[in-house]
Amino acid sequence: MYDDQPRAGGATMLMNRVETALVNSPPRRWLQRFYEVRLLTALGARTPGARAVEIGCGPGFGTTLILDKFGAASVDAVDLDPAMINRAERRLRRYGDSVRLAQGSATNLDAAFHAFGGGADASYDAVFDFAIIHHIPNWRDALAEAARVLKPGGRFFFDEVTATALMRTSYRVLFDQPSEDRFTTGEFLAELPRHGLDIGERWTTRVGGDYLVGVAFRSDRGRP
Ligand SMILES: C[S@@+](CC[C@H](N)C(=O)[O-])C[C@H]1O[C@@H](n2cnc3c(N)ncnc32)[C@H](O)[C@@H]1O
């Protein structure tokens, strides 16, 4: 079973051991810092002074990049896994009040950020998704939520794993991820405008369509 709530009992985590080790590894940090950030910046520019959200922050390395490389002023970050939030807390302590962390789901930021009064409609300049939405069974709800919290003109930065990758034997053997209703590049891009997110040509794929990277703008016309 894989849903968007932490599993009961605490023994089974959202990601299996292999993926948890990978997410916490130096190669993952290197890739994020020297490849993904550069590609996302080329597609959607930096975000100096932004009030940002990071969904699925994992151990918090992406949050440091949003602050240090994209130039955001603050980040409200959420992860479903309490163990990841603990790791992120340790990593991000030095940023003080610029970072607020919450355990909860990217599909309900209002609830996740309720304790510190975050997650309101149209209240953020940028939302960052570093490889998390493919983990969410109801992935369309995560897009709707990202769009909801963005101000008109706000940017949604995403770096995603498509159904093409998830169907590969290596992925299926190594990782424990949802397999039903995963998105292709076309399906993900087609879903964005349904939530008032304009993508235009600001996207690209990598490794034969396994990875989709892009930046969508929150339309000032709202949801169509
Ligand atoms: C592949 S990891 C990516 C972590 C980090 N963003 C990175 O790029 O290294 C996916 C993360 O999403 C989290 N996650 C899964 N479902 C979630 C949900 N519904 N809401 C928030 N976080 C979720 C997992 O706990 C995990 O930390």
Side-chain angles (χ1 to χ4, degrees):
M1 185 183 124
Y2 195 114
D3 54 31
D4 77 350
Q5 297 299 315
R7 294 178 198 180
T12 312
M13 300 312 296
L14 284 164
M15 293 187 292
N16 67 12
R17 283 185 188 188
V18 176
E19 193 171 12
T20 301
L22 198 67
V23 162
N24 288 306
S25 69
R28 170 72 195 126
R29 290 197 286 277
W30 189 92
L31 192 72
Q32 207 169 359
R33 180 184 185 126
F34 294 108
Y35 190 73
E36 293 169 24
V37 165
R38 285 183 188 178
L39 190 51
L40 285 168
T41 308
L43 290 166
R46 295 176 68 251
T47 58
R51 186 168 185 234
V53 166
E54 185 186 8
I55 55 175
C57 63
F61 187 67
T63 311
T64 70
L65 299 175
I66 295 166
L67 292 161
D68 297 342
K69 301 292 177 194
F70 285 93
S74 67
V75 182
D76 288 351
V78 63
D79 200 284
L80 198 58
D81 184 343
M84 285 295 178
I85 290 296
N86 285 341
R87 279 178 185 267
E89 256 163 15
R90 291 197 294 276
R91 169 167 280 125
L92 298 166
R93 203 162 284 152
R94 66 193 157 103
Y95 291 94
D97 294 342
S98 312
V99 176
R100 299 188 296 188
L101 288 166
Q103 188 273 322
S105 178
T107 58
N108 191 345
L109 296 176
D110 213 8
F113 297 155
H114 179 76
F116 49 71
D121 291 1
S123 56
Y124 295 92
D125 305 293
V127 173
F128 288 83
D129 154 27
F130 288 111
I132 167 217
I133 288 183
H134 67 284
H135 276 266
I136 303 182
N138 44 345
W139 59 273
R140 295 173 186 83
D141 292 354
L143 290 182
E145 196 59 352
R148 181 186 69 75
V149 300
L150 279 173
K151 297 174 185 171
R155 278 166 282 171
F156 172 50
F157 294 78
F158 57 88
D159 169 13
E160 268 307 327
V161 182
T162 68
T164 312
L166 297 175
M167 282 184 308
R168 293 192 195 281
T169 309
S170 51
Y171 253 90
R172 285 191 278 119
V173 169
L174 288 174
F175 305 132
D176 175 21
Q177 298 183 349
S179 54
E180 302 294 314
D181 186 31
R182 298 303 82 195
F183 47 80
T184 60
T185 289
E187 286 163 348
F188 193 88
L189 295 178
E191 190 65 20
L192 295 171
R194 295 185 187 124
H195 304 283
L197 293 166
D198 294 336
I199 182 70
E201 301 299 313
R202 293 174 301 275
W203 61 275
T204 186
T205 59
R206 289 291 185 266
V207 197
D210 282 13
Y211 303 101
L212 170 63
V213 185
V215 183
F217 279 71
R218 180 72 171 95
S219 146
D220 55 10
R221 301 181 301 278
R223 280 174 75 128

